[in-house]
Amino acid sequence: MSTAPKPAKSAKRAGTSGAAKATLADKLDRMGLRRPIDFALHLPLRYEDETRLTPIGALAPGDHAQVEGRVIAVEVQFRPRRQLMVRLADDEGELVLRFLNFYGSQTAIFQRAERDALPVRVRGEVRMSFGRAQTAHVFEMIHPKFRLIEGEVPLPTVLTPVYPASEGVSQLVLRKRIEAALEHVRLDEVLPQALLQSQHLMPLAQAVRVLHHPPRGEELSLLDQTHPAWTRIKFEELLTQQLSLRRARERRLARRAPVLAPGTLVQRLRAALPFALTGAQERVAAEIAADLQRGHPMTRLLQGDVGAGKTIVAALAAAQAIDAGYQAALMAPTEILAEQHFRKITQLLAPLLDGGEARIAWLTGSLKGSAKRAALAAIADGSAQLAVGTHALIQEGAAFARLGLAIVDEQHRFGVGQRLALRVKAGADGEEPHQLMMSATPIPRTLAMTYLADLDVSVIDELPPGRTPVLTKLVEDRRREEIIERVRHAVAGGRQAYWVCPLIEEGESGDAALELKTAVEMHAQLSQAFAGMQVGLIHGRLPVADKRAVMDAFVRGELQVLVATTVIEVGVDVPNASLMVIDHAERFGLAQLHQLRGRVGRGSAESVCVLMYATPLSQTAKERLRVMHATTDGFEIARKDLELRGPGEFLGARQSGDQLLRFADLQEDGGLLDRARDLAPALLERHPQAATARAE
């Protein structure tokens, strides 16, 4: 009995040790470092030059330098805060080392160096300081790296890599793990030698080892990633991605989908349109119609600037599916946008369908009770030939009888998984529905080539006739009263106006209610300023029925001014609204500003968008406002937005957690991307083994 506690105590120690090891393993795992190849491809962020020593007398302010000297004084001072001051000297001068946060063990190291006359090697940024007499200028380093030199410690012969790290994972740990991995990992070259030579590419294994053990004299090209080793790594990444996308496309083309031939409904819809389609609409409608008649699933992205007429093209595609005896579904990210689609498509298609509106189902998360059960039943038994709604269309309980076409609007606002969920809704006889994704946020060319190469892309690059260009004005918010008077004048002339308040995210403001408060206060101010005029208010916290009522009143012209948050960002079409004021425009992203501006200029009247901003402005905010003022071209705005934000927001990738490019930069490496895209099909055809090894 007396010995029983001992094994438990020993087990506890073992468990603690195991837990500590697991903690490091978990941290490495979260960094994606699991296998030797992961460590081998964990490439440096930057490099430090520890291959040389600089005499203290040769230092200059701003230098990142390494010096070696003897400690001549160690002192803990209070001026006013506690800090460790160390004076280091060599044959040419003195240097002050200042530590504002330090441990007793660090003080002890410097005291020992002073007592035993041991040299200390120090690396850091050189700054100006004052001598002890406060008269002579001397140099100092704040929190430098330091090392006590005992015996022979030769200088490194190569640059020292600095790796991406996380809390609890030191550079020392990473270097040891990476060195161990490099000793055992195989970096076999799978690209043909002739291809390497024709593309002037360094072999993969050589490139990886150069980046981990960089030679002296090549610092600049390594740091700005123009070195041939970086070129090979980036090309490898882009080529692998292009091959993977092409393989995904091949797999899609091997799957079965219904053949949807156009019939009388498409013809009658075209005949009933009160306007002629633009040339761009005709072109993309023909591309989609041809895809739907093939026996493999269409996966097409339909791009078009705000107001380009994407909904009509989608309606024609839906009519083609219905003609062929299948169902179509249209999913939008918000109820306001979904309802706009529902109304427009119902207006177009219902008079042409046997059964009229009963053949079009409406399904959203707010639909309750018998109305929801009826919609689900109509979708499930096929009596609903078209279903329009929000993500409720892909939730559990929504089952289609014979889904032939899934349309997803504003595709980037859904996660990748959500976009694909409609695709996996079973079609008839194991067939996969066709998928049409729509976006009014144009995708820049490099982004489409990199992430959407497995899709077909159609672009409506022409606005319908009669649309007037929107004049954009930048106004500082100290002129707020002047802008209010401008709104009054527009309304007195029979026009309508939007006043958009910023959507403040909780993480930005710390107060999720600030969005609502801002909108409510602006509504109260304008209601008082516009006595005798009707001012409406709409925001995301309103019940769905109230939002619908407000929008209906604005569409009918019963409200002259609509105060709103970004719930009106997409899908709202009121031709009589010719003035938009975006309050605190500096808080909005480029894509949001472009979408909001697209709510005006939808009629024949001259339209104005006022971007009202508060100072001081950040550099990014200045650039966003400058771009909005300079152009209304959605593709140019998207290109600039890609520079400012990166690719994740365009693709909805951040919602899915998908990792974007690690090494290549779409802005800097467009030439490499072109080379990789051109080479991928040839590699698949002539060297399928190498292509398969790289694509998987």
Side-chain angles (χ1 to χ4, degrees), residues 55-133:
I56 292 177
L59 295 177
D63 285 351
H64 286 267
Q66 181 172 244
V67 303
E68 190 170 297
R70 61 190 182 280
V71 176
I72 58 175
V74 181
E75 182 181 4
V76 176
Q77 297 183 350
F78 296 85
R79 49 174 212 172
R81 58 181 294 185
R82 182 172 175 266
Q83 53 189 297
L84 173 63
M85 304 289 289
V86 178
R87 289 173 57 214
L88 195 72
D90 66 5
D91 294 338
E92 296 192 16
E94 289 188 16
L95 176 69
V96 174
L97 313 180
R98 186 195 305 270
F99 298 87
L100 305 177
N101 299 293
F102 61 95
Y103 297 102
S105 58
Q106 293 172 307
T107 306
I109 290 172
F110 287 114
Q111 289 172 337
R112 182 187 167 206
E114 181 183 21
R115 182 185 67 243
D116 297 343
L118 294 173
V120 174
R121 193 173 294 170
V122 178
R123 177 173 176 77
E125 181 181 358
V126 181
R127 300 175 52 162
M128 292 297 298
S129 181
F130 283 97
R132 296 178 70 189

Side-chain angles (χ1 to χ4, degrees), residues 276-304:
L277 297 181
T278 65
Q281 285 175 311
E282 289 285 9
R283 185 186 71 250
V284 301
E287 292 169 352
I288 294 166
D291 275 359
L292 295 177
Q293 295 177 72
R294 298 187 175 102
H296 53 76
M298 173 183 75
T299 305
R300 185 172 285 275
L301 174 66
L302 173 60
Q303 294 190 76

Side-chain angles (χ1 to χ4, degrees), residues 344-669:
K344 192 173 288 187
I345 287 182
T346 299
Q347 183 181 4
L348 291 168
L349 283 178
L352 309 177
L353 297 174
D354 294 334
E357 292 187 19
R359 306 308 299 270
I360 304 176
W362 166 251
L363 184 63
T364 67
S366 66
L367 201 63
K368 305 296 180 186
S370 60
K372 183 175 184 178
R373 289 193 295 272
L376 289 171
I379 293 170
D381 64 23
S383 58
Q385 294 172 300
L386 172 64
V388 181
T390 59
H391 60 280
L393 290 170
I394 60 174
Q395 290 182 334
E396 192 175 348
F400 288 80
R402 195 174 167 83
L403 183 61
L405 171 65
I407 304 169
V408 182
D409 195 17
E410 289 301 305
Q411 55 88 27
H412 64 286
R413 294 179 63 173
F414 289 100
V416 175
Q418 289 178 310
R419 296 202 299 266
L420 297 181
L422 265 180
R423 192 189 77 186
V424 301
K425 292 284 182 182
D429 304 321
E431 294 171 329
E432 183 177 301
H434 298 277
Q435 188 170 34
L436 176 64
M437 294 173 286
M438 301 194 297
S439 177
T441 302
I443 309 297
R445 173 181 172 273
T446 52
L447 199 59
M449 285 169 55
T450 310
Y451 293 100
L452 306 176
D454 60 327
L455 306 182
D456 297 301
V457 180
S458 293
V459 179
I460 303 179
D461 52 7
E462 178 183 1
L463 290 178
R467 294 293 301 272
T468 56
V470 179
L471 178 64
T472 302
K473 296 188 175 183
L474 303 181
V475 178
E476 195 174 342
D477 66 355
R478 59 185 172 81
R479 296 170 58 190
R480 182 175 295 268
E481 293 302 321
E482 180 183 330
I483 298 304
I484 291 175
E485 189 57 37
R486 176 69 181 265
V487 174
R488 186 202 311 278
H489 179 75
V491 170
R495 314 308 301 179
Q496 290 168 277
Y498 297 98
W499 192 295
V500 180
C501 299
L503 174 64
I504 309 297
E505 295 180 357
E506 187 171 359
E508 179 184 349
S509 68
D511 181 4
L514 190 55
E515 169 211 347
L516 179 59
K517 181 171 181 262
T518 302
V520 169
E521 286 184 348
M522 203 62 230
H523 175 256
Q525 183 179 348
L526 293 180
S527 296
Q528 185 176 4
F530 301 153
M533 299 179 186
Q534 297 300 312
V535 181
L537 172 65
I538 188 169
H539 52 73
R541 297 177 190 274
L542 279 181
V544 173
D546 292 350
K547 279 192 273 190
R548 186 178 298 121
V550 172
M551 282 309 307
D552 286 348
F554 192 62
V555 170
R556 290 193 301 266
E558 296 168 8
L559 300 175
Q560 285 78 50
V561 180
L562 182 61
V563 179
T565 58
T566 54
V567 293
I568 63 149
E569 180 181 341
V570 291
V572 177
D573 187 1
V574 182
N576 190 50
S578 62
L579 176 60
M580 167 158 299
V581 179
I582 303 179
D583 210 335
H584 285 287
E586 77 278 1
R587 294 181 176 270
F588 295 84
L590 267 176
Q592 276 188 319
L593 290 171
H594 183 56
Q595 288 277 11
L596 287 167
R597 181 169 60 183
R599 299 309 103 207
V600 292
R602 306 179 80 85
S604 57
E606 181 184 88
S607 296
V608 176
C609 178
V610 177
L611 304 180
M612 190 160 55
Y613 62 90
T615 55
L617 291 173
S618 69
Q619 192 57 43
T620 300
K622 286 180 183 177
E623 185 61 19
R624 284 199 298 259
L625 295 179
R626 187 198 66 77
V627 171
M628 288 297 297
H629 185 259
T631 182
T632 57
D633 182 345
F635 282 91
E636 174 59 22
I637 289 170
R639 186 192 66 77
K640 193 63 185 178
D641 204 15
L642 176 61
E643 287 182 22
L644 296 174
R645 284 197 301 160
E649 302 297 332
F650 282 89
L651 306 167
R654 300 210 187 283
Q655 299 177 56
S656 71
D658 287 355
Q659 187 173 14
L660 304 177
L661 290 171
R662 290 175 60 194
F663 307 119
D665 182 292
L666 294 182
Q667 302 302 316
E668 302 294 332
D669 301 315

Side-chain angles (χ1 to χ4, degrees), residues 39 42-46 161-166 171 174-175 178-179 182 211-213:
F39 285 95
H42 191 68
L43 300 178
L45 277 174
R46 56 188 175 84
V162 179
Y163 294 100
S166 66
Q171 291 295 314
L174 287 172
R175 286 174 188 142
I178 289 167
E179 286 304 310
L182 289 172
L211 292 175
H212 286 301
H213 303 126

Side-chain angles (χ1 to χ4, degrees), residues 32-44 163 174 177-187 204-205 207-212 233 662-663:
L33 301 177
R34 304 173 188 92
R35 306 163 299 163
I37 189 66
D38 299 327
F39 285 95
L41 296 178
H42 191 68
L43 300 178
Y163 294 100
L174 287 172
R177 297 292 182 99
I178 289 167
E179 286 304 310
L182 289 172
E183 288 181 11
H184 301 100
V185 75
R186 293 184 58 178
L187 294 167
L204 178 62
V208 171
R209 295 183 191 283
V210 164
L211 292 175
H212 286 301
I233 294 298
R662 290 175 60 194
F663 307 119

Side-chain angles (χ1 to χ4, degrees), residues 207-268:
V208 171
R209 295 183 191 283
V210 164
L211 292 175
H212 286 301
H213 303 126
R216 284 185 58 180
E218 301 184 25
E219 293 91 334
L220 185 59
S221 62
L222 284 165
L223 290 173
D224 66 12
Q225 297 196 349
T226 59
H227 191 280
W230 274 121
T231 299
R232 173 59 203 269
I233 294 298
K234 291 194 240 184
F235 183 81
E236 184 83 5
E237 180 177 49
L238 292 168
L239 179 62
T240 299
Q241 187 185 57
Q242 291 297 305
L243 289 169
S244 296
L245 290 171
R246 286 185 175 273
R247 291 285 298 272
R249 184 184 180 89
E250 289 176 358
R251 288 192 293 268
R252 171 167 65 84
L253 296 179
R255 299 195 296 266
R256 291 174 53 235
V259 175
L260 307 178
T264 60
L265 181 59
V266 172
Q267 295 170 2
R268 286 183 290 137

